[in-house]
Amino acid sequence: MEASPALSRIGLAGLAVMGQNLALNIAEKGFPISVYNRTTSKVDETVDRAHNEGNLPLFGQYNPRDFVLSIQRPRSVIILVKAGAPVDQTIAALSAHMEPGDAIIDGGNEWYENTERRIAEATGRGLLYLGMGVSGGEEGARHGPSLMPGGSHQAYINVQDILHKVAAQVEDGPCVTYIGEGGSGNFVKMVHNGIEYGDMQLISEAYDVLKNVGGLSNEELGEIFAEWNKGELESFLIEITADIFKVRDDLADGFLVDKLLDKTGMKGTGKWTVQQAAELSVAAPTIAASLDCRYLSGLKEEREKAEEALKQAGFKEEIGSVTSGIDKKRLIDDVRQALYASKICSYAQGMNLLRAKSVEKGWGLNLGELARIWKGGCIIRAVFLDRIKNAYQRNQSLPNLIVDPDFAKEMVQRQAAWRRVVGLAVSAGISTPGMCASLSYFDTYRRGRLPANLVQAQRDLFGAHTYERVDRPGAFHTEWTKLAQKSGSGVGALN
Ligand SMILES: *[C@@H]1O[C@H](CO)[C@@H](O)[C@H](O)[C@H]1NC(C)=O
Ligand SMILES: *[C@@H]1O[C@H](CO)[C@@H](O)[C@H](O)[C@H]1NC(C)=O
């Protein structure tokens, strides 16, 4: 064995900003790392940065073979390239030089089934494979992301010490855990992103209500969000929202936030989350509402024309009459509570989607542990994730966050404020699809009896689908139309 001390502990291929930052993070934690990118200028750039950011032990390599051979066996190679075909190409280029027992770790936002296919292919060649969700954006990658590695447990063990140091640190440990087998790491990251969609939508609705119903200025909004960030809502997204309201336009008068086009971009993980929820028959209305809102936001020109068309048809804005008697202080406090309660419902949906998938695939996901590794580093990091962690640690089989005794109490305490905000918004004609979806989710889930009995009757009437009864077992079918006609008031009785 050529145990050369010059060999790197790990390698990273794909040196866009995320890749560069993660490599620098690893080197900074004292793990010698080899880096590679087809574009040689990217390698030089990364080596320069490693030099400038503290002479970090990072070594540039200029072809796949040298890169792979510069790493200690069993080798671990992280790849951070665009999801899809580029991942397959990178694997092909690198695996030609890898040996049985070596591991590939894909850190991209990959569709979990692609990871499962690649695990099978890698296994066929004796290679280990991990699909690892990485959240935290560029900053997180450099200074501590939340990591969601799933796939080969041995591949995880081989790099566990590195991941523990590189991940964000919170008081109960590093924000990384072995997620489970197969594509579970990617799936968990996907749902994380779906929850992120929900959070961002709910925050934008709070902004809309405070601005347009409450008449708050950007300065006031900045102060309110900064204030909220000191309480139960404390989180990365609330914190950056406070900052956004403070930024003045450098090209014209006023605040920059008011100059941004109201069209939201997206990369697909939110859509996958909603598709998976539908596949698994899990209700995720808040996440779906946030996705729908992104679609509608994209129809900017259509919306402008609709605004005009409805004005001509006689539509009158009702905002004025609603805002006239508003108690600003009360509204702000109500919106804070509505936002919190809406978020809990959204997280409940995401968690239940994760559980349903875990059951289907036999992943054995630990929901409390997932909430824990989201407490730091990632985009949805928030103080109340600690409470979610505790709820699942108290009761692994908690069917819904809403019925955890602590959360149940909080929901009950906040529901009056929540209803006031949604009611005000509806009267004012300000759409709050996320808050409405969360409130409807809550009101549907908490009711022991729903009007689904009528839907069952309709299904049985036109399709003989049969129904169950509340008072005795068995499947029943009724000739509804015939009986209704006999009673003299059924379908067609008036003809
Ligand atoms: C190298 O860099 C380019 C451009 O930054 C990128 O498109 C490519 O996927 C990178 N990765 C590898 C492994 O070459
Ligand atoms: C977990 O929650 C469910 C539903 O609320 C309940 O039926 C069960 O008893 C709880 N288990 C524990 C250990 O508290």
Side-chain angles (χ1 to χ4, degrees):
M1 298 239 58
E2 71 273 65
S4 156
L7 290 182
S8 295
R9 174 66 204 282
I10 190 169
L12 188 146
L15 298 173
V17 181
M18 282 289 285
Q20 289 190 15
N21 283 3
L22 188 60
L24 291 164
N25 183 354
I26 292 170
E28 191 177 62
K29 301 292 151 31
F31 301 101
I33 184 168
S34 296
V35 297
Y36 166 71
N37 198 99
R38 229 177 23 239
T39 315
T40 57
S41 61
K42 291 277 165 200
V43 178
D44 295 334
E45 205 179 303
T46 313
V47 170
D48 282 349
R49 282 188 63 194
H51 181 74
N52 295 332
E53 295 178 28
N55 270 325
L56 305 176
L58 179 146
F59 309 98
Q61 298 291 342
Y62 295 88
N63 66 68
R65 185 172 180 278
D66 290 349
F67 169 64
V68 169
L69 295 184
S70 72
I71 304 163
Q72 267 176 39
R73 290 180 64 193
R75 302 182 181 94
S76 300
V77 177
I78 299 174
I79 57 180
L80 261 171
V81 298
K82 230 167 106 54
V87 176
D88 289 307
Q89 289 154 14
T90 307
I91 292 172
L94 301 178
S95 64
H97 310 287
M98 295 175 80
E99 294 164 85
D102 290 352
I104 296 167
I105 304 169
D106 173 19
N109 261 331
E110 188 55 272
W111 171 237
Y112 83 98
E113 286 180 337
N114 284 344
T115 292
E116 304 207 323
R117 165 175 60 79
R118 290 178 190 132
I119 287 174
E121 289 164 4
T123 306
R125 279 178 283 157
L127 298 177
L128 313 179
Y129 197 95
L130 278 178
M132 181 171 74
V134 179
S135 177
E138 296 172 359
E139 268 299 297
R142 180 67 184 83
H143 299 291
S146 176
L147 299 171
M148 295 153 249
S152 159
H153 189 250
Q154 184 58 50
Y156 173 74
I157 293 297
N158 291 351
V159 291
Q160 189 179 31
D161 58 335
I162 301 179
L163 301 184
H164 274 201
K165 285 255 171 65
V166 161
Q169 310 289 322
V170 288
E171 75 284 354
D172 46 10
C175 293
V176 58
T177 191
Y178 174 69
I179 302 288
E181 295 193 335
S184 60
N186 295 126
F187 195 91
V188 167
K189 173 60 173 26
M190 176 197 82
V191 174
H192 162 285
N193 286 21
I195 292 172
E196 178 185 315
Y197 273 51
D199 275 351
M200 294 168 79
Q201 173 66 28
L202 292 169
I203 291 172
S204 76
E205 292 173 14
Y207 157 60
D208 202 5
V209 171
L210 289 176
K211 178 185 159 101
N212 289 310
V213 180
L216 268 68
S217 67
N218 287 320
E219 283 104 331
E220 289 173 308
L221 285 162
E223 281 166 27
I224 296 303
F225 276 90
E227 190 60 37
W228 286 357
N229 199 41
K230 293 177 189 152
E232 65 189 9
L233 286 170
E234 182 183 343
S235 58
F236 173 70
L237 286 169
I238 295 286
E239 180 189 335
I240 63 166
T241 303
D243 285 346
I244 286 168
F245 289 120
K246 293 182 189 134
V247 177
R248 294 196 163 267
D249 191 353
D250 58 350
L251 299 177
D253 281 347
F255 286 87
L256 186 54
V257 67
D258 295 322
K259 311 295 172 60
L260 268 66
L261 184 66
D262 50 332
K263 252 170 121 167
T264 317
M266 69 191 100
K267 285 189 179 161
T269 41
K271 177 170 156 185
W272 291 345
T273 305
V274 174
Q275 285 172 330
Q276 281 295 302
E279 289 285 343
L280 290 156
S281 307
V282 173
T286 311
I287 300 173
S290 51
L291 182 69
D292 287 341
C293 237
R294 290 199 182 191
Y295 293 148
L296 286 168
S297 82
L299 308 177
K300 173 74 171 169
E301 284 167 30
E302 270 186 57
R303 286 189 285 114
E304 283 174 339
K305 286 185 185 141
E307 188 172 22
E308 193 49 42
L310 285 151
K311 212 177 270 167
Q312 280 174 17
F315 183 86
K316 290 213 170 38
E317 289 284 3
E318 296 297 336
I319 292 187
S321 60
V322 175
T323 49
S324 55
I326 221 81
D327 174 349
K328 246 186 179 181
K329 216 168 158 240
R330 162 101 176 254
L331 179 72
I332 292 165
D333 198 54
D334 280 355
V335 171
R336 175 182 57 77
Q337 297 187 53
L339 180 54
Y340 184 81
S342 298
K343 276 165 71 98
I344 297 303
C345 285
S346 180
Y347 281 67
Q349 296 159 30
M351 286 304 195
N352 282 6
L353 171 55
L354 286 171
R355 169 147 50 211
K357 193 67 179 182
S358 178
V359 169
E360 183 199 70
K361 303 285 287 183
W363 283 337
L365 295 183
N366 179 337
L367 299 184
E369 186 62 359
L370 297 183
R372 186 190 69 76
I373 65 165
W374 289 343
K375 280 172 57 180
C378 65
I379 303 296
I380 66 170
R381 63 182 181 262
V383 160
F384 77 90
L385 276 161
D386 191 56
R387 306 163 55 72
I388 296 182
K389 178 200 81 173
N390 291 337
Y392 284 112
Q393 280 181 350
R394 274 195 293 272
N395 189 345
Q396 275 275 1
S397 51
L398 189 68
N400 195 303
L401 270 183
I402 294 170
V403 299
D404 166 74
D406 283 10
F407 281 117
K409 234 176 268 159
E410 291 186 350
M411 300 302 280
V412 172
Q413 283 162 357
R414 284 158 187 73
Q415 62 151 344
W418 196 6
R419 292 181 201 287
R420 281 196 295 272
V421 170
V422 169
L424 259 180
V426 169
S427 319
I430 303 279
S431 60
T432 50
M435 286 189 186
C436 283
S438 276
L439 182 54
S440 300
Y441 179 78
F442 174 71
D443 279 335
T444 306
Y445 188 71
R446 71 170 176 78
R447 287 178 74 204
R449 180 140 175 97
L450 290 172
N453 52 327
L454 183 61
V455 175
Q456 281 299 80
Q458 291 166 336
R459 294 178 68 241
D460 189 53
L461 183 150
F462 67 68
H465 293 296
T466 76
Y467 57 89
E468 291 174 287
R469 295 180 54 106
V470 293
D471 56 354
R472 63 198 71 195
F476 296 83
H477 170 62
T478 297
E479 295 292 330
W480 297 87
T481 312
K482 243 185 248 165
L483 290 174
Q485 275 166 0
K486 232 190 260 170
S487 81
S489 56
V491 177
L494 294 176
N495 295 337

